[in-house]
PDB file of all heavy atoms in Angstrom:
ATOM      1  N   TYR A  84      21.803 -24.425 187.606  1.00 78.00           N
ATOM      2  CA  TYR A  84      22.881 -25.211 188.220  1.00 78.00           C
ATOM      3  C   TYR A  84      22.778 -25.177 189.749  1.00 78.00           C
ATOM      4  O   TYR A  84      22.939 -26.201 190.413  1.00 78.00           O
ATOM      5  CB  TYR A  84      24.224 -24.654 187.753  1.00 78.00           C
ATOM      6  CG  TYR A  84      25.437 -25.226 188.426  1.00 78.00           C
ATOM      7  CD1 TYR A  84      26.067 -26.360 187.932  1.00 78.00           C
ATOM      8  CD2 TYR A  84      25.987 -24.611 189.556  1.00 78.00           C
ATOM      9  CE1 TYR A  84      27.200 -26.882 188.564  1.00 78.00           C
ATOM     10  CE2 TYR A  84      27.114 -25.129 190.184  1.00 78.00           C
ATOM     11  CZ  TYR A  84      27.715 -26.256 189.673  1.00 78.00           C
ATOM     12  OH  TYR A  84      28.826 -26.762 190.285  1.00 78.00           O
ATOM     13  N   ALA A  85      22.495 -24.011 190.304  1.00 76.00           N
ATOM     14  CA  ALA A  85      22.415 -23.885 191.763  1.00 76.00           C
ATOM     15  C   ALA A  85      21.181 -24.587 192.334  1.00 76.00           C
ATOM     16  O   ALA A  85      21.209 -25.043 193.480  1.00 76.00           O
ATOM     17  CB  ALA A  85      22.403 -22.407 192.154  1.00 76.00           C
ATOM     18  N   ALA A  86      20.108 -24.679 191.544  1.00 72.00           N
ATOM     19  CA  ALA A  86      18.880 -25.279 192.051  1.00 72.00           C
ATOM     20  C   ALA A  86      18.937 -26.798 192.078  1.00 72.00           C
ATOM     21  O   ALA A  86      18.143 -27.431 192.777  1.00 72.00           O
ATOM     22  CB  ALA A  86      17.690 -24.826 191.207  1.00 72.00           C
ATOM     23  N   ARG A  87      19.865 -27.397 191.328  1.00 70.00           N
ATOM     24  CA  ARG A  87      19.929 -28.853 191.248  1.00 70.00           C
ATOM     25  C   ARG A  87      20.932 -29.404 192.247  1.00 70.00           C
ATOM     26  O   ARG A  87      21.968 -28.806 192.490  1.00 70.00           O
ATOM     27  CB  ARG A  87      20.332 -29.300 189.834  1.00 70.00           C
ATOM     28  CG  ARG A  87      19.267 -28.992 188.791  1.00 70.00           C
ATOM     29  CD  ARG A  87      19.779 -29.297 187.404  1.00 70.00           C
ATOM     30  NE  ARG A  87      18.767 -29.028 186.379  1.00 70.00           N
ATOM     31  CZ  ARG A  87      19.019 -29.012 185.081  1.00 70.00           C
ATOM     32  NH1 ARG A  87      20.249 -29.250 184.638  1.00 70.00           N
ATOM     33  NH2 ARG A  87      18.047 -28.765 184.225  1.00 70.00           N
ATOM     34  N   ARG A  88      20.597 -30.564 192.802  1.00 68.00           N
ATOM     35  CA  ARG A  88      21.515 -31.221 193.722  1.00 68.00           C
ATOM     36  C   ARG A  88      22.663 -31.884 192.983  1.00 68.00           C
ATOM     37  O   ARG A  88      23.791 -31.930 193.475  1.00 68.00           O
ATOM     38  CB  ARG A  88      20.759 -32.269 194.547  1.00 68.00           C
ATOM     39  CG  ARG A  88      21.569 -32.911 195.642  1.00 68.00           C
ATOM     40  CD  ARG A  88      20.673 -33.743 196.535  1.00 68.00           C
ATOM     41  NE  ARG A  88      20.125 -34.877 195.819  1.00 68.00           N
ATOM     42  CZ  ARG A  88      20.639 -36.108 195.846  1.00 68.00           C
ATOM     43  NH1 ARG A  88      21.717 -36.345 196.564  1.00 68.00           N
ATOM     44  NH2 ARG A  88      20.062 -37.089 195.201  1.00 68.00           N
ATOM     45  N   VAL A  89      22.394 -32.385 191.794  1.00 67.00           N
ATOM     46  CA  VAL A  89      23.400 -32.995 190.926  1.00 67.00           C
ATOM     47  C   VAL A  89      23.314 -32.292 189.582  1.00 67.00           C
ATOM     48  O   VAL A  89      22.240 -32.243 188.972  1.00 67.00           O
ATOM     49  CB  VAL A  89      23.172 -34.508 190.763  1.00 67.00           C
ATOM     50  CG1 VAL A  89      24.198 -35.110 189.818  1.00 67.00           C
ATOM     51  CG2 VAL A  89      23.211 -35.200 192.119  1.00 67.00           C
ATOM     52  N   ALA A  90      24.404 -31.720 189.117  1.00 68.00           N
ATOM     53  CA  ALA A  90      24.372 -30.952 187.871  1.00 68.00           C
ATOM     54  C   ALA A  90      25.756 -30.919 187.254  1.00 68.00           C
ATOM     55  O   ALA A  90      26.778 -30.994 187.949  1.00 68.00           O
ATOM     56  CB  ALA A  90      23.886 -29.515 188.121  1.00 68.00           C
ATOM     57  N   LYS A  91      25.763 -30.831 185.932  1.00 73.00           N
ATOM     58  CA  LYS A  91      26.993 -30.632 185.194  1.00 73.00           C
ATOM     59  C   LYS A  91      27.268 -29.133 185.089  1.00 73.00           C
ATOM     60  O   LYS A  91      26.341 -28.320 184.986  1.00 73.00           O
ATOM     61  CB  LYS A  91      26.877 -31.225 183.790  1.00 73.00           C
ATOM     62  CG  LYS A  91      26.753 -32.739 183.744  1.00 73.00           C
ATOM     63  CD  LYS A  91      28.082 -33.399 183.981  1.00 73.00           C
ATOM     64  CE  LYS A  91      28.004 -34.899 183.746  1.00 73.00           C
ATOM     65  NZ  LYS A  91      29.305 -35.564 183.959  1.00 73.00           N
ATOM     66  N   ARG A  92      28.529 -28.789 185.099  1.00 79.00           N
ATOM     67  CA  ARG A  92      28.870 -27.383 184.907  1.00 79.00           C
ATOM     68  C   ARG A  92      28.514 -26.974 183.483  1.00 79.00           C
ATOM     69  O   ARG A  92      28.518 -27.803 182.565  1.00 79.00           O
ATOM     70  CB  ARG A  92      30.359 -27.160 185.165  1.00 79.00           C
ATOM     71  CG  ARG A  92      31.278 -27.873 184.197  1.00 79.00           C
ATOM     72  CD  ARG A  92      32.724 -27.608 184.536  1.00 79.00           C
ATOM     73  NE  ARG A  92      33.627 -28.328 183.643  1.00 79.00           N
ATOM     74  CZ  ARG A  92      34.036 -27.878 182.472  1.00 79.00           C
ATOM     75  NH1 ARG A  92      33.620 -26.705 182.038  1.00 79.00           N
ATOM     76  NH2 ARG A  92      34.855 -28.588 181.722  1.00 79.00           N
ATOM     77  N   PRO A  93      28.169 -25.702 183.254  1.00 82.00           N
ATOM     78  CA  PRO A  93      27.854 -25.261 181.889  1.00 82.00           C
ATOM     79  C   PRO A  93      29.007 -25.528 180.932  1.00 82.00           C
ATOM     80  O   PRO A  93      30.178 -25.294 181.262  1.00 82.00           O
ATOM     81  CB  PRO A  93      27.596 -23.757 182.053  1.00 82.00           C
ATOM     82  CG  PRO A  93      27.205 -23.597 183.495  1.00 82.00           C
ATOM     83  CD  PRO A  93      27.979 -24.637 184.252  1.00 82.00           C
ATOM     84  N   ALA A  94      28.679 -26.047 179.756  1.00 81.00           N
ATOM     85  CA  ALA A  94      29.725 -26.382 178.789  1.00 81.00           C
ATOM     86  C   ALA A  94      30.448 -25.137 178.285  1.00 81.00           C
ATOM     87  O   ALA A  94      31.632 -25.195 177.955  1.00 81.00           O
ATOM     88  CB  ALA A  94      29.112 -27.148 177.616  1.00 81.00           C
ATOM     89  N   ILE A  95      29.750 -24.010 178.213  1.00 87.00           N
ATOM     90  CA  ILE A  95      30.333 -22.752 177.727  1.00 87.00           C
ATOM     91  C   ILE A  95      30.264 -21.730 178.853  1.00 87.00           C
ATOM     92  O   ILE A  95      29.179 -21.473 179.394  1.00 87.00           O
ATOM     93  CB  ILE A  95      29.578 -22.225 176.493  1.00 87.00           C
ATOM     94  CG1 ILE A  95      29.609 -23.267 175.374  1.00 87.00           C
ATOM     95  CG2 ILE A  95      30.169 -20.915 176.010  1.00 87.00           C
ATOM     96  CD1 ILE A  95      28.773 -22.886 174.169  1.00 87.00           C
ATOM     97  N   PRO A  96      31.375 -21.118 179.245  1.00 90.00           N
ATOM     98  CA  PRO A  96      31.338 -20.048 180.274  1.00 90.00           C
ATOM     99  C   PRO A  96      30.759 -18.767 179.691  1.00 90.00           C
ATOM    100  O   PRO A  96      31.475 -17.853 179.295  1.00 90.00           O
ATOM    101  CB  PRO A  96      32.807 -19.912 180.676  1.00 90.00           C
ATOM    102  CG  PRO A  96      33.572 -20.357 179.482  1.00 90.00           C
ATOM    103  CD  PRO A  96      32.755 -21.420 178.812  1.00 90.00           C
ATOM    104  N   ARG A  97      29.444 -18.680 179.664  1.00 91.00           N
ATOM    105  CA  ARG A  97      28.775 -17.573 178.966  1.00 91.00           C
ATOM    106  C   ARG A  97      29.050 -16.228 179.625  1.00 91.00           C
ATOM    107  O   ARG A  97      29.198 -15.213 178.948  1.00 91.00           O
ATOM    108  CB  ARG A  97      27.271 -17.846 178.910  1.00 91.00           C
ATOM    109  CG  ARG A  97      26.895 -19.079 178.101  1.00 91.00           C
ATOM    110  CD  ARG A  97      25.391 -19.290 178.128  1.00 91.00           C
ATOM    111  NE  ARG A  97      24.979 -20.436 177.351  1.00 91.00           N
ATOM    112  CZ  ARG A  97      24.919 -21.685 177.811  1.00 91.00           C
ATOM    113  NH1 ARG A  97      25.277 -21.915 179.076  1.00 91.00           N
ATOM    114  NH2 ARG A  97      24.527 -22.676 177.061  1.00 91.00           N
ATOM    115  N   LYS A  98      29.090 -16.221 180.945  1.00 91.00           N
ATOM    116  CA  LYS A  98      29.339 -14.940 181.621  1.00 91.00           C
ATOM    117  C   LYS A  98      30.739 -14.417 181.334  1.00 91.00           C
ATOM    118  O   LYS A  98      30.934 -13.202 181.153  1.00 91.00           O
ATOM    119  CB  LYS A  98      29.119 -15.090 183.127  1.00 91.00           C
ATOM    120  CG  LYS A  98      27.664 -15.303 183.505  1.00 91.00           C
ATOM    121  CD  LYS A  98      27.416 -15.014 184.967  1.00 91.00           C
ATOM    122  CE  LYS A  98      28.129 -16.005 185.856  1.00 91.00           C
ATOM    123  NZ  LYS A  98      27.839 -15.763 187.284  1.00 91.00           N
ATOM    124  N   LEU A  99      31.699 -15.307 181.264  1.00 92.00           N
ATOM    125  CA  LEU A  99      33.061 -14.879 180.946  1.00 92.00           C
ATOM    126  C   LEU A  99      33.138 -14.316 179.527  1.00 92.00           C
ATOM    127  O   LEU A  99      33.698 -13.240 179.299  1.00 92.00           O
ATOM    128  CB  LEU A  99      34.021 -16.055 181.110  1.00 92.00           C
ATOM    129  CG  LEU A  99      35.474 -15.800 180.716  1.00 92.00           C
ATOM    130  CD1 LEU A  99      36.073 -14.680 181.558  1.00 92.00           C
ATOM    131  CD2 LEU A  99      36.303 -17.073 180.844  1.00 92.00           C
ATOM    132  N   PHE A 100      32.558 -15.040 178.570  1.00 93.00           N
ATOM    133  CA  PHE A 100      32.572 -14.560 177.186  1.00 93.00           C
ATOM    134  C   PHE A 100      31.747 -13.282 177.040  1.00 93.00           C
ATOM    135  O   PHE A 100      32.099 -12.393 176.259  1.00 93.00           O
ATOM    136  CB  PHE A 100      32.042 -15.637 176.248  1.00 93.00           C
ATOM    137  CG  PHE A 100      32.966 -16.805 176.090  1.00 93.00           C
ATOM    138  CD1 PHE A 100      32.510 -18.011 175.609  1.00 93.00           C
ATOM    139  CD2 PHE A 100      34.305 -16.701 176.434  1.00 93.00           C
ATOM    140  CE1 PHE A 100      33.357 -19.095 175.460  1.00 93.00           C
ATOM    141  CE2 PHE A 100      35.168 -17.778 176.301  1.00 93.00           C
ATOM    142  CZ  PHE A 100      34.690 -18.976 175.808  1.00 93.00           C
ATOM    143  N   GLY A 101      30.645 -13.184 177.797  1.00 92.00           N
ATOM    144  CA  GLY A 101      29.853 -11.959 177.750  1.00 92.00           C
ATOM    145  C   GLY A 101      30.628 -10.770 178.281  1.00 92.00           C
ATOM    146  O   GLY A 101      30.559  -9.666 177.716  1.00 92.00           O
ATOM    147  N   GLY A 102      31.371 -10.961 179.363  1.00 92.00           N
ATOM    148  CA  GLY A 102      32.190  -9.872 179.888  1.00 92.00           C
ATOM    149  C   GLY A 102      33.294  -9.472 178.921  1.00 92.00           C
ATOM    150  O   GLY A 102      33.613  -8.281 178.791  1.00 92.00           O
ATOM    151  N   MET A 103      33.879 -10.449 178.238  1.00 93.00           N
ATOM    152  CA  MET A 103      34.920 -10.126 177.264  1.00 93.00           C
ATOM    153  C   MET A 103      34.349  -9.321 176.092  1.00 93.00           C
ATOM    154  O   MET A 103      34.954  -8.326 175.656  1.00 93.00           O
ATOM    155  CB  MET A 103      35.571 -11.411 176.759  1.00 93.00           C
ATOM    156  CG  MET A 103      36.360 -12.160 177.821  1.00 93.00           C
ATOM    157  SD  MET A 103      36.972 -13.760 177.265  1.00 93.00           S
ATOM    158  CE  MET A 103      38.069 -13.248 175.931  1.00 93.00           C
TER     159      MET A 103
END
Side-chain angles (χ1 to χ4, degrees):
Y84 172 89
R87 293 173 179 169
R88 186 170 66 96
V89 178
K91 293 283 188 179
R92 64 181 178 86
I95 302 174
R97 296 179 179 87
K98 291 198 294 183
L99 176 60
F100 290 161
M103 293 174 63

